[in-house]
Amino acid sequence: MTSVATHCPYCSLQCGVTMRIQAAPRPPLLEPDDFPTNRGGLCAKGWSAAELLDHPDRLTTPLVRDNGELRPSTWDEALDRVTAAIKTAQARYGPESVGCFGGGGLTNEKAYQFGKFARVALRTPYIDYNGRFCMSSAATAGNRAFGVDRGLPFPLADIAGAQTVLLVGSNPADTMPPAMQYFDTGRANGAAHIVVDPRYTATAKGSTLHLQPTPGTDLALANGLLHIAIREGYVDQAYVDTRTSGFAAVRAAVAAYWPDRVERMTGVPVAHLRRAVELLGTARSAMILTARGAEQHRNGTDTTQAWINLALALGLPGRPYSGFGTVTGQGNGQGGREHGQKADQLPGYRRIDDPAARAHVAAVWGIDPDDLPGPGVSAVELLDRCGRPDGVRVLLVLASNVVVSAPDRNRVRERLGALDLLVVSDFFLSETAALADVVFPTAQWAEEDGTMTNLEGRVLRRRRVLDPPPGVHDDLTLMSLLAERLGHSFSADPRTVFDELRRASAGGIADYAGISYERVDAEQGVFWPCPSDDHPGTPHLFADGFPTPDGRARFIRVDHTEPAETPDREFPYVLTTGRVMQQYQSGNQTRRARSLHASATDPKVELHPDLARRLGIDAADLVELRTRRGRAVFRALITNTIRPDTVFAPFHWGGEQSANALTDPALDPHSKMPAFKVCAVAITPIKEDR
Ligand SMILES: Nc1nc2c(c(=O)[nH]1)N[C@H]1C(S)=C(S)[C@@H](COP(=O)(O)OP(=O)(O)OC[C@H]3O[C@@H](n4cnc5c(=O)[nH]c(N)nc54)[C@H](O)[C@@H]3O)O[C@H]1N2
Ligand SMILES: Nc1nc2c(c(=O)[nH]1)N[C@H]1C(S)=C(S)[C@@H](COP(=O)(O)OP(=O)(O)OC[C@H]3O[C@@H](n4cnc5c(=O)[nH]c(N)nc54)[C@H](O)[C@@H]3O)O[C@H]1N2
Ligand code: SF4
Ligand SMILES: [Mo]
């Protein structure tokens, strides 16, 4: 039996697994490894991952649409159809009529190559990706405040050493279960954990203090805590004076967030506010961590900044077992946001509007900097351009199921339906692929080589365990075949692409120049920045300064704003959305896993018993949710863990059960993050004939 060490295909924890290849039949056996993020742990999704390698639903040939129906085709026919459509659109409307939509699940090599493919082979500015729905607010805030966007500026294991941890809108007990061992160790050693969530989650259950705000009020909450911290004398003035700028304006702004007012705005009692500040202010070491609950709002960037302001005032970033961090989501959510699939970005986290960055990357790509397009538009804006007369006419989607995961599903379907050609690469026929004109079958995680960068900024190796099924190529091969037809030569070899990525990133903020496959193998991953072969990599950031022009972290004044939608007579409640433990993202993978099946058929909306009583809803009734965008049906899960004015629905399903038929596409002006975490909803029971 041969074994290969690799990583789980799903979230950013990138748990280490060993795959044992059996003679036959597929799939190989999967066992957890003692990797620094999971230490032998795995969640149910990880355990089930190998089941999908030989799943009967796998796509094994390209599909093309004829007379309204998708039918199997050869690779040549499908590639020719795509190339012809691209050339027609380019001739008729110019290069800007072709768009690319990527994903944070792509390896670094594929994400890098997709960015290059858009700019060099297609010469279009229009590329963005699903990480816009995920990390964009945290990224924008991190860049603004610290001059760099690395989710955790310290290794995950440091969490166990922090005396106080404040988690805002983050539910790792369900979304990254093996990471809980670090929280649990801290708690066992006497650490105080504070969880800010409108639901009393599995993560909140083991905490010292649970703050339960109304969704969308975290900014006011953070400003309120800073107000108290200033009053109580917890500000680290020496740190503020020597390591930061901009405190005076923030101090003046938070003067208006006195505790009674913040209680009225957020629903969190004054006593809880005071207790939270005391736990943070008196700790020897403290961390503030945000995730999607704080960030997926119309004011997500400013909300993240408000928590950064609090962390800076307490003097946390750069101190041992302390700091501010954000918990990255997708498997390659970190690396996928560094190497050019963002609309305004070139590899190495360079800006596409920076002349020096353009010159550097153009030289690596062997083109004239003037031939590089400028910045494009964000994911929701890109989807909105689709099918418009002067917009994007041909869209290529790699590793995203936007019909399920983008906000305001009905509008997304309408826009995709108006395209001249929609092209999707996937290994299963996702809801998005089902609408495509051409579908390419692709390799799964265990069938390809590459690198991923996990939530810590640790670059690690995805290793090929077995060949893809006959007739299936990976995405690098797809891009290489398309590029060839468009007159360009693109490598399909991951190592060759990674070596080019290293050169393209050299000197950038996310510098991978010194990271090689060999080093990653020998060192259990390498943390970026790592500018040279003899550089040790950087597990801890900010110990001696911040990569801003003046070396100081920036306080920025931020003020509470109402969500785009607040409850009214017609839509009287707040809807928030998120995840359940057994399903991953749009569910295109996990809904097919046999061992997760029990949870796969029946999405549930969480409602408080008081609300259920008022609306005449009994346990397990079907419930219709309705918003200004659409409707969806869920089964009622009546639980006193949620606020009585709020309901929570998971977004892992399509069709009638699609949470994103409901959500508000209002965007954060800085990050262009959609407001997934708050909109106004009406709720009606559907009484079935029993
Ligand atoms: N099981 C599972 N795990 C996953 C994923 C998955 O799909 N399934 N996806 C991965 C990815 S890509 C990501 S981004 C991460 C996300 O990981 P998390 O951020 O932990 O997940 P969410 O469920 O989106 O949101 C977290 C919490 O925010 C709360 N919340 C909702 N609105 C608000 C609000 O206004 N304020 C506050 N403070 N909290 C609020 C919700 O109640 C929820 O408990 O998970 C990763 N891991
Ligand atoms: N209402 C609501 N909506 C949300 C969120 C929320 O909290 N609430 N969260 C948002 C967040 S944080 C995220 S990250 C997004 C995720 O949204 P999606 O992008 O839809 O997430 P996935 O389901 O991971 O989609 C990946 C798709 O690509 C396929 N795939 C996986 N790996 C590869 C690969 O290497 N190559 C190719 N070609 N295909 C691959 C999978 O089968 C799947 O169909 O959803 C967002 N949408
Ligand atoms: S926590 Fe994330 S990486 Fe680990 S097994 Fe679960 S889904 Fe996979
Ligand atoms: Mo995400």
Side-chain angles (χ1 to χ4, degrees), residues 407-410 565 568 570-577 624-634 647 649 658-665 675-676 678-684:
D408 195 359
R409 188 264 320 257
N410 295 339
E565 253 184 21
D568 54 24
E570 199 185 348
F571 301 101
Y573 306 102
V574 176
L575 168 68
T576 192
T577 62
E624 182 187 78
L625 302 187
R626 206 163 40 78
T627 69
R628 289 190 174 80
R629 272 79 43 200
R631 58 179 288 283
V633 176
F634 295 89
V647 296
S658 173
N660 279 321
L662 305 166
T663 46
D664 184 354
F676 287 123
V678 56
C679 70
V681 67
I683 306 167
T684 1

Side-chain angles (χ1 to χ4, degrees), residues 219 223-224 226-227 230 246-258 261 309 556-560:
L219 193 161
N223 278 0
L226 181 53
H227 175 105
I230 293 170
F247 183 56
V250 170
R251 188 190 177 99
V254 303
Y257 291 78
W258 56 90
R261 177 170 175 239
N309 287 343
I556 296 170
R557 176 192 172 137
V558 288
D559 274 296
H560 172 73

Side-chain angles (χ1 to χ4, degrees), residues 8 10-11 13-15 42-43 45-46 178:
C8 171
Y10 298 121
C11 83
L13 202 57
Q14 284 298 290
C15 294
L42 283 185
C43 77
K45 300 185 300 301

Side-chain angles (χ1 to χ4, degrees), residues 398-605:
L398 242 61
S400 182
N401 187 6
V402 287
V403 169
V404 176
S405 59
D408 195 359
R409 188 264 320 257
N410 295 339
R411 192 161 78 165
V412 172
R413 291 179 66 127
E414 188 183 303
R415 295 313 339 142
L416 296 182
L419 285 164
D420 296 344
L421 197 84
L422 174 63
V423 185
V424 174
S425 160
D426 208 310
F427 29 77
F428 295 124
L429 194 72
S430 67
E431 284 78 359
T432 309
L435 297 182
D437 302 290
V438 179
V439 180
F440 289 104
T442 199
Q444 285 195 49
W445 57 288
E447 300 160 353
E448 63 177 8
D449 274 306
T451 60
M452 310 280 279
T453 306
N454 79 351
L455 77 172
E456 309 165 294
R458 186 198 299 261
V459 181
L460 39 85
R461 274 280 301 278
R462 171 178 279 188
R463 294 183 189 84
R464 185 178 176 123
V465 181
L466 69 172
D467 292 337
V472 174
H473 298 307
D474 59 27
D475 295 312
L476 282 182
T477 304
L478 170 65
M479 283 185 267
S480 153
L481 291 169
L482 279 176
E484 191 186 330
R485 282 172 161 74
L486 296 166
H488 296 267
S489 170
F490 275 46
S491 173
D493 172 50
R495 204 181 271 260
T496 308
V497 175
F498 188 71
D499 284 338
E500 189 184 298
L501 178 162
R502 291 169 63 188
R503 284 184 279 123
S505 78
I509 293 172
D511 191 331
Y512 282 42
I515 304 177
S516 62
Y517 279 20
E518 290 70 25
R519 278 193 68 180
V520 172
D521 289 349
E523 298 171 35
Q524 287 204 309
V526 179
F527 290 80
W528 70 260
C530 180
S532 60
D533 293 340
D534 55 2
H535 188 284
T538 316
H540 291 93
L541 294 173
F542 312 146
D544 330 297
F546 298 93
T548 52
D550 62 1
R552 289 167 178 260
R554 296 188 195 100
F555 279 97
I556 296 170
R557 176 192 172 137
V558 288
D559 274 296
H560 172 73
T561 47
E562 290 286 325
E565 253 184 21
T566 47
D568 54 24
R569 279 175 68 116
E570 199 185 348
F571 301 101
Y573 306 102
V574 176
L575 168 68
T576 192
T577 62
R579 293 159 169 81
V580 294
M581 165 136 63
Q582 304 264 49
Q583 294 298 322
Y584 189 68
Q585 312 278 64
S586 74
N588 193 38
Q589 292 160 272
T590 45
R591 277 185 271 132
R592 288 184 164 85
R594 288 174 292 270
S595 60
L596 301 173
H597 194 71
S599 74
T601 45
D602 215 11
K604 298 186 179 62
V605 58

